[in-house]
Amino acid sequence: MSPSFLYSLRRSSLRRRKKWAVLPALVGALAPLADAQGPRLPHGRPTRPPRVFHVPSESPTIQRAIERALDGDVVLVAPGTYRERIDFLGKAIEVIGTEGPTRTTLRAPPSSAVVLFWNGEGPDSRLMGFTITGGFGSEGGGGAVSCSNYGPVASPYLSDCILERNSSDFLEGPLGAAGLQGNATLERCILRQNNAFAFDGGAVAGTLTMLQCVVEDNWACDGGGGMRLHPGSFVQECLIRRNSSGPCGYHGQVYAAFGGGIQAPVGPVEIVGSVLQDNWVDEVPEAGIPDACFLFNFGGGLSAGAGVTLRRCTLVGNNVLNCAQVGGIHGSPTLVDSIVSGNEDAPGFYAAQSSFRFSNVQGGAAGVGCFDAAPLFVDPSAGDLRLHAGSPCIDAGDPASALDPDGTRADLGALHHSSARVPLTVAWHESARLQPSDPTLAQGFGTSAAIEGDTALIGAIGYGGPDAAFVFRRAAGAWSEVAHLSQSDPEVGDGFGTAVALDSNVAVVGAPGHQVSGGLRGAVYVYERASHDAPFLQTLRLLPEIPFEGFGASVALDSGYLVVGATRGFGDNGSAFVFQRRARGKWIQVAQFSPPRYFPDSFELGFGGAVAISGTTIVVGAPSFQTDSEAPGGAFVYERAGATPWSWVRSAALLPGDTLGLGKFGSSVAISGDALLVGSDFGVFAYERRGPGLPWTRATRIGPYEPTRVFLQGNRAWLARGSEIREFLQPSAGATWSEVARFLSGAGGALAADQGTLFVGAPFEDQGVGACHVLTRGVQLDTLGPDQAADEEEVVLHGLELDSVTAVRVAGVEEPILRQSATELVLRPARRDPGFADLELVAPLGTLTLPGGFESLPSLQVRPGAPGGTTEVELANGTSGAYMLLISLDLRTQPLQFFDPPTWYGLWLDMLPGRSGRLAVNAFDASGRAGFAYSVPDLPALAGLSIHLQALCQRGLFGLRRYSFTNLVSLTL
């Protein structure tokens, strides 16, 4: 499973922190929480099964449930608004808003904090899935969450919570942050619009661990408008924006305010992979004397003392108001692999900062590896601080820092730029076509499929005949049927085999039409084996706690958790169930998910028709989910945040941007690590969990704009539209998904893949008997050298399994192979006119074709001259037509590649006004060559200047015209 990016923590975050030389005291303090992230219960917690209390069905209030609970118990809270103050009473319990913070709100009584941890609670005291609002820090500090009452400071855990519109005031109570005061761990939380007339932080204050949080639009009178970090704090992948500190508003006081975004007076404090953007600090002049400034307030983005370290952080757009000073960073923290740009600071303000290392700092800094250059963000005005290709921040980090996810040297800033390359194309060939050994045992073979290693499970729906599921094993490269799974209580037409899943030695088969009590239908059958060579035996017929229609329509299995979808019938909204495996043949239901809302008069929403699980994240599709009067579909994401298996919280609702029509968004879903794909009638939409504090965000649409289903494994995805299959690859987390293969196989059935093998179901082949096509990855082409073609020089291809290639064809003409190995092939194409042609690599197991991917380029050669001299340019391998020679000061790392029509003109010439333009326009002579020379002005200022030349060639002055670029030549005068 691919990580979000190098510093991603997510569920195992606290275990991974040990890699980063985290402060020893902080690691020790968090050790119990690290244990709690695993499947076993943490040290000190009772080993008895937890009791589960449901609010309000079993307990009228949350507080009443807490009073009844013992250490290790769980309180599950249904959606709604709860007007009560809750006190954990020192108990190591989990209190969970199951439908997430957007549907479950805790609102405080007047002049009171909302949640109290006043008895020294530790990280086993967990609050998850709530919006906490209206709190007032009148006792023990903390407006929304108070972690002490002048006694031992508590260290609870909060995740998937929103703390908003809370306050604290030192004139009416003790000091404390408006949001949370204490030594808590917060993961995936949002803290916004909290106001503190106090001296200890706007949103949060304490010895904090902040993981993937958003801290925005908070204010503090004194300092730390967003956060005030005490020694031992750790902040990772957080977004801190639009926070402010000072002055003290209606109190009319003048106090020194430091750090609009973050105040960390003294270390040790570590801030990693985070963004501080558009924060500010304000100081109002003395009343009646407009020019009388005390000059007390500093650090719009950050005010930090010794021992505070920022790694891979981005600080941009932070500023000051009125008398305040230093928009960016106040103090002398250590800065490594970071970007400080566009802040309101005096020129050269950081020039003497030797504690800044390998960072892009506005005005420069004295530390090793520091420089001053435009970082080239994608769109900073829209908050997109990713790095453009060509940014000087790419691969500019400390050589001793960990590599980026793409395997290259560390980039600067919170968001790395993927430099990983994807293959140009990959060949797939069919290596087997599977069918049941006895076709009379099943029809619709290939309706569902799952594969893990050398074991495959294939389902067949009878369509009036028997239903079945078959086990295949691979030995010596060949697949063969080894078992036909049977039910303990078979029924004709019960849909046994509609959905299947495999995980290690557990196999699951759904039968959504199986008759159960009360006329309802649906069951899931669990099979287990003692080892990979042993047979699967049925160990359980699994039903939900309350019988549910259509149970087993979809299944997903991972790490001992099973997700089962039940779409129900006409007029109902569907559900998804989560089970945990405790022992052989013993599973317990730990969660039930439902869509957040639906129209009572609607048709079936399809919620649960598609499910997927990866680690501690579950996705449920609802292809007919309604918004207003339309039914474009939806997909819902659930996270397990706590130590117990009941700790599931809905963390995201993914809806299509276009709600018109029946889009069936969510008809298929897939997740692997931090990549999530959703299929629909309008293609597949890719989401990513990448960026400081930002949850799942829509990245792009991939594949055809037509009904498409999807399967995902690791960083590879397969999209099926009828019998057409497309393979996409994401080279590293957050990078673009690129198509690398397209082929035909199967139709309308399952997709499953593992270890370079792809199963494609075709349940309607052979008069309904069905089949499953097994495809294997073959020749892969990674890079293709340019063919200048004027002198018939060698062209080098790089890839995989190139030693199996027996012939190479360019535009249908076979070209001689000079040398080849498994990863390299060298040929010498015959001379031909510039242009694009198909490239074919012929191998015994199939031919790889790169349509229009082989280009013969006119070649550009330049003999540079010094100022006062002459620069000569020669183009070769032209044809009847013209060329345009372009000059630019904007560095190009490789030749531009554009295709007809030439819509590039405005893009190239206007990219950097005054820095790019035409140098010459001319035509090729009869020999297909052209020359040009120009005098370089004798100006000393030109010495050392880098320029870049490239020609655009037009072939054909009349009729059909084709265009191509030459190679790029960069030179220094």
Side-chain angles (χ1 to χ4, degrees):
M1 302 177 185
S2 58
S4 62
F5 56 102
L6 186 60
Y7 291 102
S8 177
L9 293 182
R10 290 189 61 231
R11 193 64 50 241
S12 60
S13 56
L14 300 174
R15 288 199 300 268
R16 292 188 210 171
R17 285 179 49 195
K18 297 176 183 178
K19 297 180 182 179
W20 306 112
V22 180
L23 306 168
L26 185 57
V27 173
L30 291 175
L33 181 57
D35 292 337
Q37 299 296 317
R40 62 184 178 85
L41 293 175
H43 299 300
R45 173 172 286 187
T47 57
R48 63 171 178 81
R51 296 181 300 168
V52 179
F53 299 90
H54 294 268
V55 178
S57 61
E58 297 176 352
S59 178
T61 66
I62 301 172
Q63 187 60 43
R64 176 62 182 135
I66 292 175
E67 292 169 357
R68 295 171 57 193
L70 301 175
D71 284 353
D73 288 342
V74 179
V75 177
L76 300 182
V77 182
T81 298
Y82 297 83
R83 298 181 181 274
E84 57 176 305
R85 183 170 79 168
I86 66 172
D87 187 339
F88 267 64
L89 302 174
K91 297 182 179 181
I93 60 175
E94 297 182 351
V95 179
I96 305 165
T98 56
E99 288 298 319
T102 59
R103 300 196 66 208
T104 317
T105 299
L106 299 176
R107 189 177 295 276
S111 300
S112 171
V114 187
V115 183
L116 308 180
F117 296 97
W118 282 1
N119 295 277
E121 288 87 349
D124 287 337
S125 298
R126 298 184 167 224
L127 183 71
M128 297 163 278
F130 292 92
T131 290
I132 307 171
T133 186
F136 183 77
S138 60
E139 301 172 281
V145 179
S146 177
C147 295
S148 72
N149 187 22
Y150 308 109
V153 179
S155 305
Y157 172 89
L158 284 78
S159 77
D160 303 285
C161 287
I162 299 173
L163 281 66
E164 63 181 3
R165 294 191 293 276
N166 302 282
S167 63
S168 64
D169 194 328
F170 71 94
L171 293 185
E172 301 182 38
L175 306 182
L180 179 145
Q181 179 81 24
N183 298 343
T185 294
L186 292 90
E187 186 169 11
R188 295 191 309 273
C189 289
I190 299 174
L191 301 101
R192 61 192 178 202
Q193 300 175 15
N194 301 287
N195 296 315
F197 291 98
F199 301 99
D200 214 2
V204 288
T207 300
L208 298 160
T209 300
M210 304 279 290
L211 311 172
Q212 294 187 338
C213 292
V214 176
V215 182
E216 60 185 7
D217 302 314
N218 303 283
W219 172 84
C221 163
D222 172 63
M227 299 188 288
R228 182 180 173 92
L229 303 177
H230 296 175
S233 293
F234 181 82
V235 176
Q236 182 153 306
E237 294 184 34
C238 288
L239 174 61
I240 301 100
R241 62 185 176 190
R242 300 191 304 270
N243 303 284
S244 63
S245 64
C248 282
Y250 71 86
H251 293 313
Q253 306 291 331
V254 179
Y255 296 102
F258 299 90
I262 297 177
Q263 182 186 18
V266 62
V269 169
E270 189 165 6
I271 305 171
V272 177
S274 296
V275 170
L276 286 82
Q277 183 177 20
D278 297 334
N279 304 285
W280 72 92
V281 64
D282 189 4
E283 179 183 334
V284 176
E286 184 178 359
I289 311 177
D291 296 329
C293 292
F294 285 91
L295 304 178
F296 285 164
N297 298 5
F298 298 91
L302 169 72
S303 178
V308 178
T309 301
L310 285 78
R311 300 181 186 276
R312 299 193 66 162
C313 290
T314 299
L315 296 92
V316 60
N318 301 288
N319 56 78
V320 295
L321 296 179
N322 298 309
C323 298
Q325 303 179 77
V326 186
I329 301 173
H330 169 252
S332 299
T334 298
L335 208 70
V336 183
D337 298 342
S338 295
I339 300 173
V340 181
S341 177
N343 303 292
E344 191 174 350
D345 293 318
F349 179 77
Y350 305 103
Q353 287 280 19
S354 60
S355 62
F356 291 6
R357 297 185 292 109
F358 293 96
S359 294
N360 183 3
V361 182
Q362 62 188 69
V368 60
C370 289
F371 60 93
D372 177 17
L376 298 184
F377 296 126
V378 171
D379 189 357
S381 62
D384 191 342
L385 301 181
R386 292 175 299 167
L387 302 175
H388 256 308
S391 167
C393 300
I394 297 173
D395 297 339
D398 188 340
S401 296
L403 299 179
D404 281 339
D406 58 14
T408 62
R409 178 176 169 178
D411 298 335
L412 306 187
L415 299 173
H416 92 282
H417 176 86
S418 175
S419 301
R421 302 190 63 172
V422 298
L424 296 175
T425 188
V426 177
W428 287 84
H429 60 272
E430 184 169 317
S431 56
R433 182 175 181 270
L434 306 181
Q435 285 188 305
S437 56
D438 185 352
T440 64
L441 294 178
Q443 290 182 312
F445 181 83
T447 297
S448 60
I451 175 177
E452 185 179 67
D454 292 327
T455 303
L457 180 61
I458 303 174
I461 302 300
Y463 305 110
D467 304 321
F470 299 86
V471 179
F472 283 75
R473 290 292 307 276
R474 176 169 49 191
W479 291 91
S480 60
E481 181 185 326
V482 295
H484 170 208
L485 299 184
S486 58
Q487 305 160 257
S488 56
D489 52 350
E491 295 178 1
V492 175
D494 67 359
F496 180 83
T498 297
V500 298
L502 270 176
D503 184 31
S504 186
N505 293 326
V506 178
V508 173
V509 182
H514 188 82
Q515 184 73 36
V516 295
S517 62
L520 297 176
R521 295 179 178 274
V524 168
Y525 294 83
V526 180
Y527 302 82
E528 300 180 65
R529 61 185 178 185
S531 67
H532 281 74
D533 297 325
F536 280 106
L537 302 176
Q538 182 182 331
T539 56
L540 185 66
R541 188 189 74 163
L542 193 61
L543 300 173
E545 293 174 355
I546 300 175
F548 213 84
E549 185 77 13
F551 180 80
S554 59
V555 295
L557 189 62
D558 188 28
S559 303
Y561 283 92
L562 168 65
V563 188
V564 180
T567 56
R568 298 190 70 176
F570 178 86
D572 292 313
N573 58 330
S575 196
F577 301 85
V578 184
F579 298 84
Q580 185 199 33
R581 184 177 186 267
R582 289 301 182 90
R584 179 180 174 86
K586 183 174 178 57
W587 296 69
I588 60 170
Q589 181 179 324
V590 295
Q592 179 180 344
F593 307 145
S594 299
R597 65 184 188 275
Y598 68 99
F599 276 57
D601 297 330
S602 70
F603 290 88
E604 176 186 355
L605 298 184
F607 185 89
V611 297
I613 179 172
S614 176
T616 55
T617 305
I618 291 172
V619 186
V620 181
S624 299
F625 179 76
Q626 293 202 353
T627 55
D628 299 326
S629 59
E630 301 294 340
F636 302 90
V637 184
Y638 301 84
E639 308 272 358
R640 186 173 70 86
T644 73
W646 287 269
S647 306
W648 296 94
V649 177
R650 182 167 65 84
S651 60
L654 309 179
L655 303 174
D658 182 5
T659 60
L660 298 178
L662 300 176
K664 296 194 181 303
F665 179 89
S667 54
S668 63
V669 294
I671 181 172
S672 180
D674 290 323
L676 189 159
L677 303 180
V678 181
S680 76
D681 278 358
F682 298 98
V684 170
F685 294 85
Y687 289 79
E688 59 188 7
R689 182 162 42 191
R690 177 180 181 267
L694 300 178
W696 293 103
T697 56
R698 177 173 163 181
T700 185
R701 184 204 311 272
I702 62 176
Y705 194 86
E706 294 178 11
T708 313
R709 62 192 191 279
V710 62
F711 181 84
L712 175 65
Q713 186 189 51
N715 64 342
R716 292 181 181 269
W718 292 268
L719 281 58
R721 180 190 60 171
S723 59
E724 181 187 69
I725 309 295
R726 301 189 186 195
E727 183 185 19
F728 285 76
L729 185 142
Q730 186 183 43
S732 66
T736 301
W737 287 92
S738 300
E739 183 175 335
V740 296
R742 186 181 303 186
F743 49 93
L744 299 177
S745 181
L751 290 175
D754 191 37
Q755 299 178 3
T757 300
L758 177 65
F759 275 45
V760 183
F764 304 108
E765 288 187 359
D766 289 352
Q767 291 77 46
V769 172
C772 196
H773 300 264
V774 181
L775 295 103
T776 305
R777 187 181 295 122
V779 175
Q780 176 174 307
L781 182 60
D782 291 335
T783 61
L784 173 62
D787 175 27
Q788 297 300 337
D791 302 310
E792 301 182 18
E793 68 272 27
E794 296 180 357
V795 174
V796 181
L797 286 66
H798 292 98
L800 300 176
E801 299 190 27
L802 294 178
D803 53 348
S804 66
V805 174
T806 57
V808 179
R809 292 194 288 259
V810 176
V813 177
E814 187 168 333
E815 307 288 355
I817 298 175
L818 302 183
R819 300 180 300 278
Q820 69 184 119
S821 66
T823 58
E824 184 178 275
L825 185 148
V826 182
L827 65 148
R828 180 181 288 124
R831 179 174 179 176
R832 64 186 187 90
D833 287 341
F836 299 91
D838 292 348
L839 172 69
E840 298 173 278
L841 304 181
V842 181
L845 294 178
T847 298
L848 179 149
T849 302
L850 185 63
F854 192 83
E855 181 181 15
S856 292
L857 300 172
S859 59
L860 174 66
Q861 293 184 344
V862 181
R863 287 182 289 276
T870 301
T871 293
E872 299 179 356
V873 178
E874 182 180 15
L875 286 87
N877 196 39
T879 172
S880 60
Y883 70 87
M884 178 185 299
L885 187 63
L886 306 170
I887 183 173
S888 175
L889 305 184
D890 180 33
L891 178 62
R892 293 276 167 248
T893 57
Q894 60 183 0
L896 291 176
Q897 299 291 328
F898 289 97
F899 302 91
D900 299 340
T903 56
W904 55 272
Y905 288 101
L907 174 66
W908 175 266
L909 298 180
D910 297 334
M911 188 176 299
L912 290 176
R915 302 186 67 182
S916 305
R918 307 181 187 188
L919 183 60
V921 177
N922 212 324
F924 290 99
D925 62 23
S927 68
R929 297 179 179 270
F932 177 74
Y934 66 94
S935 298
V936 182
D938 190 11
L939 298 175
L942 295 179
L945 179 68
S946 294
I947 63 173
H948 316 284
L949 298 169
Q950 189 171 26
L952 172 86
C953 300
Q954 171 189 315
R955 301 181 305 284
L957 296 175
F958 307 98
L960 179 66
R961 300 179 183 182
R962 295 294 301 274
Y963 301 85
S964 65
F965 280 98
T966 67
N967 53 300
L968 175 75
V969 176
S970 300
L971 55 95
T972 301
L973 298 177

